[in-house]
Amino acid sequence: MLFSNLSLVPLSVDFDSPEDYFVFIFQIVFATTAVLVAGPVVVAIVRTRALRLQNRFVFMLNTSICDTLVGLSVYYLGLFDVQEGFPSRNGTYNILSYLLGVNIMTFLFAQFDRYIAVCHPFIYSRFVTRRVIVAINVYCWFHVYGQWIISYTIPVSKAIQLYVFTIVFLQAVVLTKVAMTIKLYVVARYQLDRDPPSAERESNRESLRIIIFVVISFLVLWGPSFVNIILRLMVGKGLSFRNEATNLFAIMARLNAVCTPAVYLWGSPALREATMRTVWRKLCPRCKRRIGATRVKGNDKGRPMKSH
């Protein structure tokens, strides 16, 4: 019913000042960037069997699906006068906001996955199968949106208490993520250096590097929002904003939708190549020809090309 009456929802800004134009244009650019960065990662993993068979890319797929949906959600949350939470104004009943919760849960399980894979490889290879990883990622969705369903089937007073409990639970998750990040850094620095050179060691090193950078960016972007929420709940002195488009802390939190898939692409050459092959070279044939010409030129430096 909300989206059928979308024309009745006012825009997020009044266009009375240059800042209003900046906010509106920023939301459009941000939403488009998130979709164009996270969306190709989803397509590349889904269409590349070699990536789908690796557990770490299943976690990347789950978070990238969330990031793509977050980018799409900004076209509503950022362009229209929307206030989520309690009380809500023109909101989506927090359906779109809860996507960030799915990401948080997925990051946490991904850290546990990498910790067990590096510290207990025999246990990992025996018990942590691909079906287990898929089930864990599906559970993240059921856990978060199960809470969402409960919050809208109980009285408002109880729903607010559940919201407070969720915030406290998220703080515990954040502390766990910090501790796991430190542990993973120690493991990556000492244990992997002692392992003999192998493709598995390089894969673990690559995945640990990605996880560490993702968690660091998550903490930097989510930290101010958590602090502000705690201040508002405990002392009632946190900052409040007119709507989601002007909520600086919510904007920073949603920036994970761009930072996370960008870190995936930066840290994984295999994912970069799969993204180029399955998405960008098909969308941009001219780029494909330019890349091919560059490779031919690079191979033709004083020696004939090998025939295949």
Side-chain angles (χ1 to χ4, degrees):
M1 183 175 68
L2 171 63
F3 294 101
S4 64
N5 296 325
L6 190 60
S7 60
L8 302 178
V9 180
L11 295 177
S12 58
V13 293
D14 299 325
F15 298 103
D16 294 331
S17 64
E19 291 79 6
D20 290 346
Y21 287 91
F22 172 79
V23 169
F24 198 79
I25 294 173
F26 170 81
Q27 297 293 343
I28 295 176
V29 172
F30 167 56
T32 305
T33 302
V35 173
L36 291 180
V37 175
V41 172
V42 174
V43 175
I45 297 176
V46 169
R47 299 190 61 182
T48 306
R49 185 172 183 274
L51 300 183
R52 295 198 311 270
L53 294 178
Q54 299 184 50
N55 292 344
R56 60 195 181 102
F57 285 105
V58 176
F59 287 106
M60 293 184 191
L61 175 62
N62 202 36
T63 59
S64 296
I65 291 173
C66 289
D67 292 334
T68 304
L69 294 176
V70 168
L72 292 173
S73 74
V74 174
Y75 285 115
Y76 179 70
L77 298 178
L79 301 184
F80 295 93
D81 184 31
V82 179
Q83 182 65 56
E84 296 279 28
F86 298 97
S88 175
R89 184 178 69 255
N90 301 323
T92 63
Y93 303 101
N94 285 315
I95 294 177
L96 301 180
S97 299
Y98 270 61
L99 289 169
L100 299 174
V102 177
N103 261 350
I104 294 174
M105 294 290 295
T106 306
F107 289 152
L108 181 63
F109 283 116
Q111 284 183 283
F112 281 115
D113 173 78
R114 290 300 89 194
Y115 175 78
I116 298 174
V118 175
C119 296
H120 307 284
F122 296 106
I123 296 177
Y124 186 85
S125 60
R126 183 175 181 182
F127 296 103
V128 185
T129 63
R130 186 168 177 270
R131 290 185 178 180
V132 171
I133 297 300
V134 172
I136 289 174
N137 282 272
V138 172
Y139 167 77
C140 292
W141 290 86
F142 276 97
H143 177 90
V144 172
Y145 282 98
Q147 271 193 338
W148 173 78
I149 293 173
I150 293 173
S151 66
Y152 283 95
T153 56
I154 58 179
V156 176
S157 59
K158 296 295 183 181
I160 295 176
Q161 292 178 4
L162 179 61
Y163 175 74
V164 174
F165 170 79
T166 302
I167 297 301
V168 174
F169 173 75
L170 287 178
Q171 307 312 308
V173 171
V174 169
L175 293 176
T176 303
K177 290 169 73 66
V178 172
M180 289 294 296
T181 302
I182 296 173
K183 179 65 176 179
L184 286 172
Y185 174 78
V186 173
V187 170
R189 185 172 181 180
Y190 295 102
Q191 181 166 331
L192 289 179
D193 289 338
R194 296 197 300 267
D195 293 340
S198 64
E200 183 179 359
R201 188 187 74 165
E202 293 305 316
S203 176
N204 286 333
R205 189 187 300 275
E206 176 186 300
S207 60
L208 283 171
R209 182 171 61 246
I210 291 173
I211 285 293
I212 289 173
F213 275 97
V214 164
V215 172
I216 290 175
S217 65
F218 165 83
L219 294 174
V220 170
L221 294 174
W222 265 93
S225 179
F226 280 137
V227 172
N228 186 61
I229 292 174
I230 292 173
L231 289 176
R232 292 181 61 182
L233 293 176
M234 297 184 65
V235 298
K237 294 185 178 181
L239 297 178
S240 58
F241 300 89
R242 182 174 60 184
N243 50 39
E244 295 293 323
T246 58
N247 188 336
L248 178 61
F249 300 132
I251 293 172
M252 291 181 63
R254 293 190 184 102
L255 280 176
N256 277 287
V258 175
C259 293
T260 300
V263 171
Y264 291 161
L265 293 170
W266 164 78
S268 176
L271 181 59
R272 281 200 307 273
E273 174 60 28
T275 304
M276 289 295 298
R277 184 181 66 255
T278 60
V279 180
W280 297 119
R281 291 178 189 171
K282 293 185 177 181
L283 295 178
C284 184
R286 183 177 301 177
C287 296
K288 180 179 180 179
R289 290 195 297 268
R290 186 179 298 118
I291 292 171
T294 302
R295 288 181 175 178
V296 171
K297 184 178 180 181
N299 287 330
D300 193 18
K301 291 184 178 179
R303 63 180 185 274
M305 293 180 62
K306 296 180 180 179
S307 59
H308 298 280

